[in-house]
């Protein structure tokens, strides 16, 4: 939970606008209560192994996650994956390379 607390610190200091944090079920209530007590927007998705992906941060970023509306990250399109990576603050050049690889694999499947 130390990493989770540090992620909140980074959000509050303006270092990050969106965070993705994976937790076990035993931490779910603690995480919800902490985010709510601080007035931080969030969206939680249960993942296949029983854990949870917790997206939290600015309201507009969480709205984008909700609009994408996919609980399974592996179902994101190349474009959605690219947007998410950029929003999470991942290296832009690496995200561009990842997008290109994703699209090349897509093209192989359809040809």
């Amino acid at each position: 939970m130390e990493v989770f607390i540090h992620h909140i610190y980074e959000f509050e200091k303006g270092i990050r606008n969106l965070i993705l944090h994976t937790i076990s079920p035993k931490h779910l209530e603690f995480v919800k209560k902490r985010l709510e007590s601080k007035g931080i927007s969030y969206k939680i998705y249960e993942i296949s192994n029983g854990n949870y992906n917790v997206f939290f941060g600015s309201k507009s970023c969480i709205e984008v996650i909700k609009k994408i509306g996919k609980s399974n990250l592996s179902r994101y399109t190349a474009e959605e994956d690219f947007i998410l990576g950029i929003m999470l603050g991942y290296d832009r050049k690496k995200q561009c390379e990842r997008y290109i690889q994703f699209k090349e694999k897509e093209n192989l499947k359809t040809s």
Side-chain angles (χ1 to χ4, degrees):
M1 296 294 9
E2 289 177 32
V3 173
F4 171 71
I5 299 302
H6 186 74
H7 282 151
I8 289 176
Y9 170 83
E10 288 182 343
F11 171 70
E12 291 178 330
K13 293 297 180 188
I15 297 168
R16 296 183 189 217
N17 294 313
L18 180 68
I19 294 98
L20 169 56
H21 189 83
T22 303
I23 59 168
S24 67
K26 69 181 181 180
H27 296 116
L28 183 61
E29 287 308 311
F30 172 82
V31 165
K32 284 181 179 179
K33 285 178 184 175
R34 180 59 63 100
L35 293 171
E36 289 169 4
S37 73
K38 293 192 164 280
I40 300 173
S41 297
Y42 67 91
K43 179 66 179 161
I44 299 174
Y45 292 111
E46 185 172 3
I47 54 180
S48 60
N49 64 3
N51 288 334
Y52 294 88
N53 278 338
V54 181
F55 290 95
F56 65 94
S58 72
K59 186 176 181 179
S60 59
C61 289
I62 298 304
E63 283 304 310
V64 170
I65 298 302
K66 290 177 178 178
K67 296 268 184 219
I68 291 172
K70 295 177 182 169
S71 61
N72 188 331
L73 297 175
S74 67
R75 293 194 178 138
Y76 273 40
T77 66
E79 291 77 14
E80 292 165 343
D81 180 82
F82 180 80
I83 291 166
L84 177 61
I86 296 299
M87 288 172 50
L88 289 168
Y90 297 168
D91 180 276
R92 287 183 187 118
K93 182 176 176 257
K94 288 182 182 176
Q95 279 303 112
C96 290
E97 292 166 356
R98 179 178 165 91
Y99 175 79
I100 291 165
Q101 289 174 351
F102 200 126
K103 292 304 281 186
E104 286 173 352
K105 286 180 187 176
E106 255 181 26
N107 289 339
L108 288 174
K109 288 179 185 177
T110 59
S111 53

Tab-separated table of all heavy atoms in Angstrom, residues 50-72:
chain	number	residue	atom	x	y	z
A	50	GLY	N	-8.890	-12.068	-10.103
A	50	GLY	CA	-9.544	-11.718	-8.848
A	50	GLY	C	-9.044	-10.413	-8.248
A	50	GLY	O	-9.624	-9.916	-7.288
A	51	ASN	N	-7.976	-9.869	-8.778
A	51	ASN	CA	-7.485	-8.566	-8.327
A	51	ASN	C	-8.281	-7.448	-8.989
A	51	ASN	O	-9.188	-7.709	-9.778
A	51	ASN	CB	-5.990	-8.415	-8.635
A	51	ASN	CG	-5.125	-9.276	-7.745
A	51	ASN	OD1	-5.501	-9.622	-6.625
A	51	ASN	ND2	-3.950	-9.636	-8.226
A	52	TYR	N	-7.912	-6.206	-8.692
A	52	TYR	CA	-8.611	-5.058	-9.244
A	52	TYR	C	-7.627	-4.062	-9.843
A	52	TYR	O	-6.566	-3.818	-9.268
A	52	TYR	CB	-9.419	-4.336	-8.150
A	52	TYR	CG	-10.548	-5.155	-7.611
A	52	TYR	CD1	-10.358	-6.029	-6.552
A	52	TYR	CD2	-11.811	-5.074	-8.174
A	52	TYR	CE1	-11.401	-6.798	-6.052
A	52	TYR	CE2	-12.865	-5.833	-7.683
A	52	TYR	CZ	-12.649	-6.695	-6.631
A	52	TYR	OH	-13.684	-7.454	-6.150
A	53	ASN	N	-7.994	-3.524	-10.989
A	53	ASN	CA	-7.281	-2.383	-11.559
A	53	ASN	C	-8.012	-1.131	-11.114
A	53	ASN	O	-9.209	-0.987	-11.350
A	53	ASN	CB	-7.254	-2.435	-13.093
A	53	ASN	CG	-6.168	-3.331	-13.621
A	53	ASN	OD1	-5.184	-3.613	-12.942
A	53	ASN	ND2	-6.316	-3.788	-14.846
A	54	VAL	N	-7.282	-0.249	-10.453
A	54	VAL	CA	-7.847	1.003	-9.959
A	54	VAL	C	-7.232	2.135	-10.768
A	54	VAL	O	-6.034	2.373	-10.711
A	54	VAL	CB	-7.541	1.214	-8.458
A	54	VAL	CG1	-8.161	2.512	-7.961
A	54	VAL	CG2	-7.995	0.024	-7.637
A	55	PHE	N	-8.075	2.805	-11.548
A	55	PHE	CA	-7.668	4.023	-12.241
A	55	PHE	C	-8.092	5.177	-11.347
A	55	PHE	O	-9.248	5.221	-10.901
A	55	PHE	CB	-8.401	4.166	-13.580
A	55	PHE	CG	-7.990	3.179	-14.628
A	55	PHE	CD1	-8.698	2.008	-14.806
A	55	PHE	CD2	-6.910	3.447	-15.453
A	55	PHE	CE1	-8.337	1.101	-15.795
A	55	PHE	CE2	-6.539	2.555	-16.452
A	55	PHE	CZ	-7.248	1.379	-16.616
A	56	PHE	N	-7.177	6.102	-11.064
A	56	PHE	CA	-7.592	7.280	-10.315
A	56	PHE	C	-6.781	8.493	-10.741
A	56	PHE	O	-5.693	8.377	-11.282
A	56	PHE	CB	-7.523	7.060	-8.796
A	56	PHE	CG	-6.152	6.843	-8.214
A	56	PHE	CD1	-5.431	7.912	-7.696
A	56	PHE	CD2	-5.596	5.577	-8.142
A	56	PHE	CE1	-4.187	7.725	-7.129
A	56	PHE	CE2	-4.358	5.375	-7.577
A	56	PHE	CZ	-3.646	6.454	-7.066
A	57	GLY	N	-7.399	9.659	-10.527
A	57	GLY	CA	-6.740	10.898	-10.905
A	57	GLY	C	-7.750	11.971	-11.232
A	57	GLY	O	-8.817	12.042	-10.629
A	58	SER	N	-7.398	12.795	-12.224
A	58	SER	CA	-8.275	13.917	-12.570
A	58	SER	C	-9.603	13.403	-13.121
A	58	SER	O	-9.674	12.349	-13.755
A	58	SER	CB	-7.603	14.832	-13.585
A	58	SER	OG	-7.548	14.213	-14.841
A	59	LYS	N	-10.640	14.171	-12.848
A	59	LYS	CA	-11.991	13.782	-13.263
A	59	LYS	C	-12.069	13.566	-14.772
A	59	LYS	O	-12.673	12.598	-15.234
A	59	LYS	CB	-12.985	14.863	-12.820
A	59	LYS	CG	-14.417	14.500	-13.079
A	59	LYS	CD	-15.366	15.555	-12.536
A	59	LYS	CE	-16.797	15.125	-12.808
A	59	LYS	NZ	-17.763	16.087	-12.281
A	60	SER	N	-11.442	14.454	-15.556
A	60	SER	CA	-11.512	14.313	-17.015
A	60	SER	C	-10.814	13.037	-17.498
A	60	SER	O	-11.296	12.379	-18.418
A	60	SER	CB	-10.937	15.546	-17.717
A	60	SER	OG	-9.595	15.754	-17.355
A	61	CYS	N	-9.711	12.678	-16.879
A	61	CYS	CA	-9.024	11.434	-17.261
A	61	CYS	C	-9.880	10.216	-16.934
A	61	CYS	O	-9.971	9.274	-17.730
A	61	CYS	CB	-7.672	11.327	-16.563
A	61	CYS	SG	-6.428	12.483	-17.169
A	62	ILE	N	-10.521	10.229	-15.785
A	62	ILE	CA	-11.393	9.116	-15.401
A	62	ILE	C	-12.585	9.037	-16.336
A	62	ILE	O	-13.028	7.943	-16.705
A	62	ILE	CB	-11.820	9.235	-13.925
A	62	ILE	CG1	-10.598	9.167	-13.005
A	62	ILE	CG2	-12.846	8.173	-13.560
A	62	ILE	CD1	-9.738	7.915	-13.167
A	63	GLU	N	-13.092	10.171	-16.784
A	63	GLU	CA	-14.198	10.172	-17.747
A	63	GLU	C	-13.780	9.505	-19.052
A	63	GLU	O	-14.563	8.790	-19.674
A	63	GLU	CB	-14.707	11.589	-17.990
A	63	GLU	CG	-15.578	12.121	-16.879
A	63	GLU	CD	-16.783	11.235	-16.579
A	63	GLU	OE1	-17.519	10.863	-17.521
A	63	GLU	OE2	-16.980	10.900	-15.400
A	64	VAL	N	-12.545	9.733	-19.489
A	64	VAL	CA	-12.054	9.067	-20.702
A	64	VAL	C	-12.040	7.562	-20.493
A	64	VAL	O	-12.494	6.797	-21.355
A	64	VAL	CB	-10.656	9.594	-21.109
A	64	VAL	CG1	-10.047	8.738	-22.218
A	64	VAL	CG2	-10.732	11.054	-21.535
A	65	ILE	N	-11.536	7.106	-19.347
A	65	ILE	CA	-11.514	5.665	-19.038
A	65	ILE	C	-12.937	5.103	-19.072
A	65	ILE	O	-13.184	4.036	-19.637
A	65	ILE	CB	-10.861	5.410	-17.662
A	65	ILE	CG1	-9.395	5.873	-17.653
A	65	ILE	CG2	-10.990	3.946	-17.247
A	65	ILE	CD1	-8.516	5.235	-18.673
A	66	LYS	N	-13.869	5.828	-18.500
A	66	LYS	CA	-15.271	5.379	-18.490
A	66	LYS	C	-15.852	5.353	-19.900
A	66	LYS	O	-16.610	4.447	-20.248
A	66	LYS	CB	-16.119	6.276	-17.594
A	66	LYS	CG	-15.822	6.107	-16.121
A	66	LYS	CD	-16.636	7.082	-15.283
A	66	LYS	CE	-16.394	6.907	-13.807
A	66	LYS	NZ	-17.153	7.880	-12.990
A	67	LYS	N	-15.509	6.336	-20.719
A	67	LYS	CA	-16.016	6.381	-22.101
A	67	LYS	C	-15.456	5.221	-22.919
A	67	LYS	O	-16.164	4.659	-23.759
A	67	LYS	CB	-15.666	7.704	-22.771
A	67	LYS	CG	-16.303	8.904	-22.130
A	67	LYS	CD	-17.607	9.242	-22.774
A	67	LYS	CE	-18.153	10.515	-22.154
A	67	LYS	NZ	-19.564	10.475	-21.962
A	68	ILE	N	-14.183	4.885	-22.701
A	68	ILE	CA	-13.624	3.709	-23.386
A	68	ILE	C	-14.423	2.480	-22.962
A	68	ILE	O	-14.787	1.651	-23.790
A	68	ILE	CB	-12.122	3.557	-23.098
A	68	ILE	CG1	-11.343	4.686	-23.787
A	68	ILE	CG2	-11.607	2.185	-23.570
A	68	ILE	CD1	-9.865	4.753	-23.433
A	69	GLY	N	-14.706	2.368	-21.679
A	69	GLY	CA	-15.649	1.380	-21.165
A	69	GLY	C	-15.242	-0.078	-21.252
A	69	GLY	O	-16.104	-0.946	-21.261
A	70	LYS	N	-13.958	-0.337	-21.289
A	70	LYS	CA	-13.498	-1.726	-21.366
A	70	LYS	C	-12.758	-2.081	-20.081
A	70	LYS	O	-11.757	-1.463	-19.744
A	70	LYS	CB	-12.589	-1.920	-22.574
A	70	LYS	CG	-13.319	-1.713	-23.883
A	70	LYS	CD	-12.396	-1.842	-25.066
A	70	LYS	CE	-13.169	-1.588	-26.359
A	70	LYS	NZ	-12.277	-1.455	-27.505
A	71	SER	N	-13.255	-3.096	-19.404
A	71	SER	CA	-12.637	-3.490	-18.138
A	71	SER	C	-11.371	-4.311	-18.340
A	71	SER	O	-10.541	-4.407	-17.451
A	71	SER	CB	-13.629	-4.274	-17.286
A	71	SER	OG	-14.036	-5.448	-17.960
A	72	ASN	N	-11.217	-4.895	-19.513
A	72	ASN	CA	-10.059	-5.733	-19.798
A	72	ASN	C	-9.096	-4.963	-20.704
A	72	ASN	O	-9.429	-4.663	-21.855
A	72	ASN	CB	-10.525	-7.027	-20.467
A	72	ASN	CG	-9.420	-8.030	-20.634
A	72	ASN	OD1	-8.255	-7.685	-20.762
A	72	ASN	ND2	-9.789	-9.298	-20.648
